[in-house]
Amino acid sequence: DESGNRLGRGGGFYDRLLPLYPCLRAGMCFDFQQIEGFETESHDCRMDLLVTESNLIEGLDNRPFTR
């Protein structure tokens, strides 16, 4: 969504993996795959930017990272 949240497949794989790497987190999807208003939990990892075929949404997560 436009807050950087993502829907996974329910296993929590990326929620455990992503905190291990201090890097830019980019999500990619088609415009029609964006939804709003789904529930998230405190351990869910947010993306820093979202790329679609028509948009680039930056600054989603205020987490510091190194480039």
Side-chain angles (χ1 to χ4, degrees):
D1 68 7
E2 291 195 11
S3 297
N5 297 305
R6 59 182 183 76
L7 283 175
R9 304 221 15 150
F13 176 79
Y14 286 109
D15 294 319
R16 291 189 302 274
L17 177 74
L18 290 173
L20 301 176
Y21 298 94
C23 60
L24 179 71
R25 299 175 187 165
M28 296 183 351
C29 69
F30 292 107
D31 286 328
F32 75 88
Q33 293 174 308
Q34 287 185 260
I35 59 174
E36 295 291 329
F38 57 91
E39 292 184 29
T40 61
E41 298 181 14
S42 60
H43 65 271
D44 291 337
C45 290
R46 294 174 55 199
M47 299 292 100
D48 297 306
L49 61 93
L50 177 63
V51 180
T52 72
E53 71 267 25
S54 68
N55 206 359
L56 173 63
I57 304 168
E58 299 180 83
L60 299 175
D61 194 0
N62 292 324
R63 179 184 57 84
F65 61 90
T66 58
R67 292 181 192 233

